[in-house]
Amino acid sequence: MTESKWSEVDRYLSEQLIPEANELAWLLDANTSAGLPAIDVTSHFAKLLALLIRVSGAQRILEIGTLGGFSGVWMARAMPSTGLLVTLESESKHAEVAINNFKRDGVDDRVEIRLGPALDSLAQLIAEKAAPFDFVFVDADKANNPGYLDLVLQLTHPGSVLFFDNMVRGGEVIESESLDENIRGIRETHAMVGKDDRLLATAIQTVGTKGYDGFLLALVVK
Ligand code: SAH
Ligand code: DHB
Ligand code: MG
């Protein structure tokens, strides 16, 4: 099985099931024009996030890693119109592109971007006693995932859903001696989640146009 086959299958599945992908092509074009890296989730993943938001009835959504707002637009569209997406981004250029994209899509009234290192923004949300979030999508620097998990658990409630992207990394996740800080962060996150009796979780390996990776899905149970 080759990566080109994975991409062909992704294209087929998108054509069959995800009409929104065509409708949102302008957003990925805007990101490319602005020079952003093409590390957004695929439409298949974005729609999974949207479906999880609908299934769980999430109204308050937290995203760590905005980039150009591709996943953000999908999640904002999936919330009820009374919902709020708070999305954290450290690169001002990415945030600027995302703000424009949120405006162009018409979801900007339901989205709040916080610029700065996400660990600081999360600490700030905790200090502000922000209302708990129902759904959290973690998709930024993987080295900081353990710290994000710690803080996110202070910003959620039993019933909240956590989704971590890029948790397999081409299989590198099993390299216990890896010196790559991203792999170390991912491994520590799996271990932390597995040991935490507040969480019920699984992780799934995936292939597609963005290669071989995987996600972790957790439910806060207490
Ligand atoms: N969720 C986006 C993709 C995010 S890519 C989508 O699917 O459309 C990861 C993003 O995290 C990048 O924009 C990067 O600038 C941002 N990032 C990296 N380190 C960060 C940090 N410490 N704090 C906040 N954002 C960070
Ligand atoms: C990278 C980040 C991501 O969130 C992703 O899905 C793929 C790649 C990266 O930083 O390289
Ligand atoms: Mg990602």
Side-chain angles (χ1 to χ4, degrees), residues 31 39-41 63-72 88-91 94 116-119 137 139-142 144 148 165:
N31 289 358
I39 54 175
D40 342 65
V41 290
E63 175 176 61
I64 305 178
T66 314
L67 192 64
F70 182 69
S71 52
L88 314 181
E89 176 56 56
S90 57
E91 296 286 337
H94 297 183
L119 288 171
F137 176 44
D139 189 24
D141 48 336
K142 316 310 168 193
N144 278 321
Y148 296 150
D165 193 27

Side-chain angles (χ1 to χ4, degrees), residues 58-61 76 79-86 107 109-111 134:
Q59 298 241 20
R60 287 180 54 82
I61 299 169
M79 314 180 299
S81 55
T82 50
L84 176 71
L85 167 68
V86 176
V107 293
D109 58 332
R110 279 163 274 164
V111 180
D134 310 310

Side-chain angles (χ1 to χ4, degrees), residues 60 125 128-134 154-157:
R60 287 180 54 82
L125 285 163
E128 287 170 15
K129 300 195 189 322
F133 292 92
D134 310 310
Q154 298 174 51
L155 288 163
T156 47
H157 58 82

Side-chain angles (χ1 to χ4, degrees), residues 6-178:
W6 302 342
S7 294
E8 279 176 52
V9 172
D10 254 0
R11 200 172 315 121
Y12 167 78
L13 296 173
S14 181
E15 282 165 10
Q16 298 305 312
L17 304 171
I18 317 181
E20 304 93 328
N22 292 327
E23 196 194 310
L24 275 176
W26 63 264
L27 195 156
L28 296 176
D29 290 343
N31 289 358
T32 304
S33 302
L36 267 50
I39 54 175
D40 342 65
V41 290
T42 61
S43 301
H44 312 65
F45 263 91
K47 193 151 184 182
L48 175 60
L49 297 172
L51 291 170
L52 289 168
I53 286 164
R54 284 175 179 262
V55 165
S56 64
Q59 298 241 20
R60 287 180 54 82
I61 299 169
L62 176 62
E63 175 176 61
I64 305 178
T66 314
L67 192 64
F70 182 69
S71 52
V73 161
W74 269 92
M75 293 193 291
R77 286 180 172 198
M79 314 180 299
S81 55
T82 50
L84 176 71
L85 167 68
V86 176
T87 181
L88 314 181
E89 176 56 56
S90 57
E91 296 286 337
S92 54
K93 180 178 146 186
H94 297 183
E96 198 182 303
V97 174
I99 289 168
N100 285 332
N101 287 338
F102 291 136
K103 281 192 186 137
R104 179 158 166 201
D105 197 61
V107 293
D108 53 306
D109 58 332
R110 279 163 274 164
V111 180
E112 184 185 317
I113 300 192
R114 294 197 175 205
L115 184 62
L119 288 171
D120 295 351
S121 301
L122 291 167
Q124 179 68 33
L125 285 163
I126 293 167
E128 287 170 15
K129 300 195 189 322
F133 292 92
D134 310 310
F135 187 91
V136 184
F137 176 44
V138 183
D139 189 24
D141 48 336
K142 316 310 168 193
N144 278 321
N145 272 357
Y148 296 150
L149 176 60
D150 254 340
L151 297 174
V152 159
L153 284 169
Q154 298 174 51
L155 288 163
T156 47
H157 58 82
S160 296
V161 175
L162 315 183
F163 191 108
F164 284 75
D165 193 27
N166 310 114
M167 292 295 282
V168 171
R169 285 256 166 165
E172 282 182 71
V173 65
I174 59 171
E175 290 174 16
S176 59
E177 306 300 317
S178 177

